Amino acid sequence: MADVTVRQFAEVVGISVDRLLDQFKEAGLPVSDADATITDAEKMELLSFLRNKHGAEGDGLKEPKKVTLNRKSTSELRQTGGHSKGKSVTVEVRKKRTYVKRSTVLEQEQEKAEQVLAERAKLEDERREAEEAEKQREAELQAKRSAEEEERKAREAEAEAEARRKADEEAARLQQEEIARKQAEENKESKPGARPAKAKKGKERTREEEDRATRYGRQELHVTADKSGKRKKRSGGKSRPSATPSGEHGFQRPNAPIVYEVAVPETITVSELAQKMSVKAAEVIKVIMNMGTMVTINQVLDQDTAALVVEEMGHTAKLLKADAIEEDLVVEDEVGEAVHRAPVVTIMGHVDHGKTSLLDYIRRSKVVSGEAGGITQHIGAYHVEQDNGDITFLDTPGHAAFTAMRARGAQATDIVILVVAADDGVMPQTKEAVQHAKAAGVPLIVAVNKMDKPEANPDQVKNELAQLDVIPEDWGGDTMFVHVSAQTGEGIESLLEAILLVSEVLELKSTREGNAQGVIVESRLDKGRGPIATVLVQKGTLRKGDILLAGLEYGRVRAMLNEKAEQVEEAGPSIPVEVLGLSGTPNAGDEAVVVPNERKAREVAMYRQGKFRDVKLARQQAAKLENMFSQMEEGEVGVVNVVLKGDVQGSVEAITDALEKLSTEEVKVKIVASGVGGITESDVNLAVASSAILIGFNVRADAVAKRLIDEEDVDLHYYSVIYDLIDEVKAAMSGMLSPETKEEIIGLAEVRDVFRSPKLGAIAGCMVTEGVVKRHSPIRVLRDNVVIYEGELESLRRYKDDVNEVKQGMECGIGVKNYNDVKTGDQIEVYERTQVARKL
């Protein structure tokens, strides 16, 4: 558009000229006259100003959310008729219509919905806060009630003790008065006419009366009373015997002391001994002090001393054996008839020979995929149901560190299946498995696995096993050999038939009735369910709700799970189940037995824990003395402290054994603490206090422990395969070994002539015959191949120049520091010392 005046632009826009001039003024444009010419740039600047002023967005004006249209129409109505002339009436009709955008309506509805949801959320939060406040008030009220109840009980106990004390004082006073009265009567009878002596209140008594008053045991005192129940008072200060209406004497002499049969264990405290004899501990301490020994109330007495004290105090001592409390559990209750049970079969062999894969094919499940590194690191117990009979399988690890676990598997089994790979032959763990089977005295079945491989050689396996006295049946021996393949399933049926055949020959029987007895195969700590123990029942039936004692732990069986994680109500002989409800994780291999009540189980468990603690303390003390003497003799020994936590008890045991075997005379591995379950704050604190490496095997640290680990900078390592764990600890131990120093001869020079120098002394003119002679390397002087001096060079010259080294075939002059007896024909040997890092 061409340049126009303000007046023309106002007409185009449709506003007044004055208003347009005001807008230009507000926009800061120099336009003040209606006839002034404005350019296109000024128009755009004015437009931008108006957009900013009226809230425009982007490059366009803000769109209205609603539009209102006002319409007005007028019409005339003419009236006719009558005597008057026609009149006209003007009618004006106004219409107003508002149009709203659909998006605006939707936005309004959405805003209303959001507002409703916000109000609901607010109401829900207020309700939740009210509930929490109510719960908190109830908890505070309950705590207040508990405190008031405890305070009331304490007041009642104090009142009862005060009443008992007053009653004792009253009884003692009455006894003293009665003794004084009797003494007065005796004096009156012995001296007729003499006045009865007044009894003093308690201080002057004969020795005989003192002995009668301090008898051991319970004393009974009988005093006559009137009908009102009150004791009759003496009148006139005279001691007269009170009599019953029948004429009998009202006071009887104390009866004989009660003699107790006191069970005396190996050790007992003074307070416990006094409680068993129903006397005060002060009386026992007095007797022991009269015997010449100073003791306190918490002093521990040995069995002989306690027995002497019991005899001295007039009771009978019954000596208990060390294991008497456990002997009560061994009750042979052969209830019912012995019936056939399923055989317990342990699969053993070298690592990676296909033990778990073979069992996997039998069970039709994938167990190998769930194991770290493809190796079994736990003892697994599985119950397999076959057409011809049931079989219980125990799968043991094949790694060298799991020797104890394999031995445990052999002890709890009826038949051992030795798995040998046809393409690998007999390996170290194969030999070890044969030894375990022979030591346990169980029959052996050899499964030659991996027969599907082209390089399989079963004859080689037979030859190598024959050298271990495992003779095949077809060679005249008694060991069954079965060719199998865990991949194709070849020979699996033959293997199962062989197992059932051997079990029939063994005639395995057990009673199903009575309390269950078994063995702990494995145990672990589950974060949600607590301690879980895998129990192989050997006799009787284990039921839900039984009180189970396993080693140092006990508890009520809250739930039992089979190998499919299904809950079961009972488990008979040869059935493995996971048991929930024990007080802790028992050691694998511990005997598990059902006891009649929880009190007995707790008593035996506490006894075993105390015995275990005593043995542990004695072992630690002996180890401290041993270490002290060995360190005095051998000097300082490097120690790698380790705090170990694992997922199951068997793995912890195997790792502990493997790490302790790494110890040498220079570097030792010390397991500061080990346990089952996740890494907790106490484990981290123990690692900090002992400067130990913290190792988690298939477990992790909780949130509190992680924070403490970061704060204290603890060396934490996670592992899931035992190979990696042992290798890294071995590397850490290698770093603590002192480096080995090696000497390497780098040059040899032959003395051809000796020159005398007033400044340097004897100078040997030499020819370098081997290697290189360096100035700053140590040397040895050889004469007739015998070392006569060891030192270093003082100077090395070639002609008149000092040089750092002289190579083979060159002549040089050598000055030996602090040695002038070099002769023609001697040899000067130059060598270097290097330090080599040692490895275990």
Side-chain angles (χ1 to χ4, degrees):
M1 181 184 290
D3 297 342
V4 294
T5 63
V6 175
R7 193 182 307 279
Q8 292 172 347
F9 189 65
E11 291 176 357
V12 172
V13 174
I15 60 176
S16 64
V17 177
D18 294 334
R19 185 180 176 188
L20 187 59
L21 288 173
D22 292 336
Q23 290 178 351
F24 274 110
K25 186 178 180 180
E26 290 175 1
L29 297 174
V31 178
S32 59
D33 190 7
D35 296 325
T37 305
I38 55 177
T39 62
D40 292 337
E42 291 174 339
K43 295 176 187 176
M44 294 304 297
E45 193 171 352
L46 177 62
L47 179 61
S48 299
F49 169 75
L50 292 176
R51 285 178 176 173
N52 293 331
K53 181 178 179 182
H54 296 293
E57 298 176 0
D59 294 331
L61 292 173
K62 187 175 181 181
E63 295 179 355
K65 293 185 178 180
K66 61 181 179 178
V67 177
T68 304
L69 298 181
N70 295 321
R71 293 182 181 178
K72 182 173 68 173
S73 61
T74 58
S75 59
E76 267 186 12
L77 294 178
R78 188 176 295 277
Q79 294 181 353
T80 58
H83 300 285
S84 62
K85 294 181 180 181
K87 293 181 179 181
S88 62
V89 179
T90 303
V91 179
E92 185 177 7
V93 179
R94 295 180 180 178
K95 294 182 180 180
K96 183 178 181 181
R97 181 170 295 179
T98 301
Y99 297 90
V100 182
K101 291 182 66 176
R102 185 178 300 277
S103 60
T104 304
V105 176
L106 294 175
E107 289 176 359
Q108 291 177 354
E109 293 178 353
Q110 185 175 0
E111 288 176 359
K112 289 181 180 179
E114 290 176 354
Q115 187 175 2
V116 171
L117 291 175
E119 291 177 356
R120 289 180 181 176
K122 184 178 179 182
L123 291 174
E124 183 67 23
D125 292 338
E126 291 175 355
R127 184 185 63 79
R128 193 179 298 110
E129 290 175 358
E131 288 179 356
E132 291 177 355
E134 184 65 24
K135 289 180 180 179
Q136 186 174 1
R137 284 196 297 272
E138 290 179 359
E140 292 175 354
L141 184 60
Q142 185 67 24
K144 186 177 179 182
R145 289 175 181 171
S146 300
E148 291 175 354
E149 182 67 19
E150 291 177 358
E151 186 177 358
R152 183 183 63 78
K153 290 181 179 178
R155 288 198 299 269
E156 290 178 356
E158 290 176 359
E160 186 178 354
E162 183 67 17
R164 192 182 301 111
R165 184 182 63 79
K166 289 181 178 179
D168 292 342
E169 291 177 355
E170 182 67 15
R173 186 178 63 79
L174 292 175
Q175 182 180 4
Q176 291 174 2
E177 290 179 358
E178 195 64 34
I179 292 172
R181 185 181 60 77
K182 286 194 65 176
Q183 183 180 0
E185 289 178 357
E186 290 173 359
N187 292 337
K188 185 177 179 180
E189 291 174 358
S190 60
K191 296 179 181 181
R195 295 178 63 186
K198 292 184 179 179
K200 296 183 179 179
K201 287 192 176 180
K203 298 290 184 179
E204 300 175 4
R205 289 189 289 181
T206 63
R207 184 173 183 81
E208 183 181 359
E209 292 168 348
E210 186 75 20
D211 292 340
R212 282 202 303 268
T214 58
R215 288 182 185 275
Y216 304 121
R218 188 177 60 190
Q219 295 179 345
E220 297 181 0
L221 192 64
H222 300 276
V223 181
T224 58
D226 58 9
K227 294 181 179 179
S228 63
K230 296 181 180 179
R231 187 180 179 277
K232 294 181 179 180
K233 294 183 179 179
R234 300 184 184 92
S235 60
K238 294 182 179 181
S239 298
R240 293 183 179 180
S242 58
T244 60
S246 61
E248 295 180 359
H249 200 281
F251 175 74
Q252 296 179 2
R253 298 184 67 177
N255 58 355
I258 300 176
V259 178
Y260 293 102
E261 185 180 24
V262 182
V264 182
E266 277 190 321
T267 58
I268 188 171
T269 63
V270 173
S271 60
E272 291 174 351
L273 187 61
Q275 186 178 7
K276 288 189 174 186
M277 292 187 294
S278 298
V279 296
K280 293 182 178 180
E283 298 291 340
V284 179
I285 293 174
K286 188 186 297 183
V287 171
I288 299 175
M289 290 175 67
N290 289 335
M291 294 168 62
T293 305
M294 299 292 292
V295 294
T296 61
I297 192 171
N298 294 321
Q299 186 89 24
V300 178
L301 305 176
D302 60 279
Q303 195 174 47
D304 296 336
T305 304
L308 287 176
V309 173
V310 171
E311 299 286 347
E312 183 70 20
M313 299 189 73
H315 300 284
T316 304
K318 179 184 177 183
L319 303 182
L320 293 180
K321 296 181 181 178
D323 53 352
I325 192 169
E326 294 186 349
E327 286 181 353
D328 295 342
L329 294 177
V330 185
V331 180
E332 296 295 334
D333 50 349
E334 294 292 341
V335 181
E337 183 182 357
V339 296
H340 176 75
R341 63 174 178 85
V344 179
V345 179
T346 299
I347 299 182
M348 305 175 73
H350 192 72
V351 63
D352 201 27
H353 274 202
K355 299 181 296 299
T356 309
S357 299
L358 184 64
L359 180 60
D360 175 44
Y361 189 89
I362 297 173
R363 295 175 54 234
R364 297 290 195 278
S365 63
K366 296 295 179 185
V367 180
V368 175
S369 58
E371 294 287 354
I375 64 169
T376 299
Q377 309 195 76
H378 315 133
I379 286 188
Y382 313 101
H383 184 66
V384 179
E385 296 181 356
Q386 298 291 326
D387 295 336
N388 299 330
D390 298 345
I391 304 174
T392 297
F393 286 98
L394 296 182
D395 182 19
T396 62
H399 186 255
F402 295 95
T403 303
M405 296 173 71
R406 280 193 298 279
R408 226 171 21 244
Q411 291 169 2
T413 190
D414 302 316
I415 303 170
V416 170
I417 295 181
L418 180 63
V419 178
V420 185
D423 60 340
D424 203 4
V426 174
M427 301 300 285
Q429 272 71 60
T430 311
K431 299 177 182 178
E432 187 183 288
V434 172
Q435 294 172 358
H436 288 321
K438 288 184 177 181
V442 294
L444 190 68
I445 299 175
V446 179
V448 184
N449 194 18
K450 302 186 180 181
M451 289 298 296
D452 55 323
K453 289 192 173 184
E455 60 269 20
N457 188 0
D459 293 333
Q460 179 189 354
V461 174
K462 290 183 179 181
N463 287 327
E464 292 176 348
L465 285 176
Q467 297 175 9
L468 301 176
D469 292 335
V470 180
I471 312 299
E473 284 183 334
D474 51 356
W475 288 11
D478 56 355
T479 305
M480 299 177 66
F481 276 65
V482 183
H483 296 175
V484 298
S485 171
Q487 298 296 325
T488 62
E490 174 191 349
I492 299 295
E493 293 296 330
S494 301
L495 180 62
L496 296 177
E497 290 176 1
I499 294 172
L500 294 174
L501 179 62
V502 174
S503 66
E504 288 179 6
V505 173
L506 294 175
E507 294 183 354
L508 303 172
K509 291 185 178 182
S510 179
T511 57
R512 299 188 64 87
E513 289 79 12
N515 294 332
Q517 296 182 18
V519 63
I520 301 296
V521 176
E522 193 58 275
S523 64
R524 70 180 191 275
L525 190 65
D526 190 271
K527 188 173 184 180
R529 298 182 292 177
I532 298 177
T534 303
V535 180
L536 177 63
V537 182
Q538 295 175 323
K539 187 170 67 173
T541 302
L542 180 63
R543 295 178 177 85
K544 185 177 177 181
D546 287 346
I547 306 298
L548 187 66
L549 174 67
L552 306 179
E553 311 297 338
Y554 71 96
R556 186 180 297 275
V557 179
R558 291 191 286 108
M560 291 192 300
L561 307 174
N562 59 14
E563 68 275 2
K564 299 177 183 177
E566 299 171 349
Q567 291 218 13
V568 294
E569 295 297 323
E570 61 179 28
S574 301
I575 302 295
V577 287
E578 287 189 341
V579 173
L580 283 70
L582 294 179
S583 57
T585 54
N587 293 326
D590 285 347
E591 182 184 0
V593 61
V594 173
V595 295
N597 53 62
E598 192 169 357
R599 184 188 61 80
K600 187 68 176 176
R602 185 188 301 110
E603 185 180 357
V604 177
M606 292 298 110
Y607 171 74
R608 289 178 177 176
Q609 289 174 10
K611 196 173 180 181
F612 174 75
R613 194 181 304 115
D614 295 342
V615 173
K616 185 177 178 182
L617 289 174
R619 191 185 302 121
Q620 287 178 352
Q621 190 67 24
K624 287 179 183 176
L625 291 173
E626 255 180 52
N627 291 340
M628 183 177 70
F629 287 120
S630 62
Q631 288 177 10
M632 288 172 62
E633 294 175 0
E634 304 172 7
E636 292 189 3
V637 177
V639 178
V640 178
N641 292 328
V642 175
V643 175
L644 175 65
K645 293 301 286 290
D647 55 343
V648 294
Q649 187 70 37
S651 295
V652 172
E653 178 184 343
I655 294 170
T656 302
D657 185 56
L659 293 181
E660 288 178 346
K661 285 182 179 177
L662 295 177
S663 299
T664 63
E665 294 181 355
E666 296 183 50
V667 184
K668 296 185 182 299
V669 176
K670 182 180 179 183
I671 306 297
V672 178
S674 61
V676 177
I679 298 172
T680 60
E681 184 181 4
S682 60
D683 299 325
V684 181
N685 289 327
L686 184 59
V688 171
S690 57
S691 301
I693 302 171
L694 193 56
I695 294 178
F697 188 76
N698 285 330
V699 295
R700 296 292 181 267
D702 58 20
V704 179
K706 285 180 181 177
R707 185 165 61 251
L708 189 59
I709 287 169
D710 294 336
E711 292 175 358
E712 300 290 344
D713 195 20
V714 178
D715 191 9
L716 171 65
H717 298 274
Y718 291 139
Y719 299 98
S720 58
V721 180
I722 193 171
Y723 304 134
D724 303 336
L725 190 155
I726 294 173
D727 291 342
E728 291 208 15
V729 174
K730 190 183 294 185
M733 294 174 64
S734 300
M736 298 183 69
L737 292 172
S738 57
E740 185 178 355
T741 302
K742 288 188 176 181
E743 293 183 358
E744 182 181 0
I745 299 173
I746 60 172
L748 190 66
E750 184 179 350
V751 180
R752 298 289 177 89
D753 201 354
V754 180
F755 306 95
R756 300 291 174 179
S757 169
K759 294 182 179 180
L760 302 176
I763 302 297
C766 304
M767 169 68 73
V768 180
T769 57
E770 293 180 14
V772 60
V773 175
K774 293 185 178 181
R775 182 175 185 176
H776 299 291
S777 297
I779 65 164
R780 295 189 184 94
V781 179
L782 308 179
R783 184 173 297 166
D784 297 330
N785 293 323
V786 177
V787 178
I788 60 172
Y789 179 75
E790 188 170 349
E792 58 184 13
L793 295 179
E794 187 173 16
S795 64
L796 177 64
R797 290 189 177 185
R798 181 164 168 75
Y799 300 107
K800 294 184 178 181
D801 300 327
D802 287 332
V803 293
N804 288 327
E805 63 178 35
V806 179
K807 295 183 179 179
Q808 181 179 355
M810 296 183 178
E811 296 179 343
C812 61
I814 296 176
V816 181
K817 191 173 184 179
N818 298 329
Y819 188 73
N820 291 322
D821 193 23
V822 181
K823 296 182 179 180
T824 303
D826 291 348
Q827 289 181 326
I828 297 176
E829 181 184 82
V830 184
Y831 63 94
E832 285 184 349
R833 290 192 181 97
T834 57
Q835 288 187 344
V836 180
R838 296 168 58 195
K839 295 183 180 180
L840 291 174

